[in-house]
Amino acid sequence: MIRIIITALEDAKAEDITSIDLAGKSSFADYMVVATGRVDRHVGAIADRVVKALKDNGVSGVRVEGEQTCEWVLVDAGDVIVHVFKPDARVFYNIEKLWSADRPKDGRGGE
């Protein structure tokens, strides 16, 4: 599924595509993919391309959030979460830093 998503992002001319392995960090997904669109219309088109590619490859139950403003669109494909941001929103939320950092194992900073 990750290859389908990356290919769709590349085809839609998404910029700064980053894949984050969430294994051991999250129970809601195995991967997170982050990409940037130049303007709101581009962000929406990128998200649409990802959703179409997933559906064309038999992935069902894909959910989309944020299409009204296209400042930040989230595509939830189950095992993979895709975030498509406008440049300013991506810098502001900086989710790569949040999810790429090593997380404490017991929630208190200890092992």
Side-chain angles (χ1 to χ4, degrees):
M1 185 181 335
I2 193 85
R3 189 72 239 152
I4 294 166
I5 291 168
I6 298 294
T7 299
L9 290 168
E10 290 170 346
D11 289 348
K13 307 292 189 233
E15 300 172 355
D16 299 322
I17 301 167
T18 303
S19 175
I20 302 168
D21 185 352
L22 296 178
K25 296 179 184 179
S26 165
S27 61
F28 65 84
D30 295 331
Y31 284 93
M32 179 181 299
V33 180
V34 183
T36 302
R38 293 179 297 280
V39 295
D40 54 358
R41 178 171 253 167
H42 188 216
V43 169
I46 292 167
D48 288 345
R49 174 75 65 108
V50 169
V51 170
K52 182 179 182 329
L54 290 166
K55 288 182 180 179
D56 288 351
N57 284 276
V59 178
S60 61
V62 177
R63 297 184 322 214
V64 182
E65 299 281 336
E67 287 182 303
Q68 298 78 15
T69 62
C70 290
E71 200 59 36
W72 169 11
V73 178
L74 180 142
V75 178
D76 182 350
D79 292 337
V80 182
I81 305 295
V82 182
H83 297 275
V84 185
F85 290 97
K86 284 177 47 179
D88 291 346
R90 185 167 179 174
V91 169
F92 180 78
Y93 290 105
N94 198 9
I95 62 172
E96 291 102 326
K97 183 177 179 185
L98 175 70
W99 285 100
S100 295
D102 289 331
R103 313 285 291 176
K105 291 190 174 41
D106 70 359
R108 297 176 297 196
E111 307 244 340

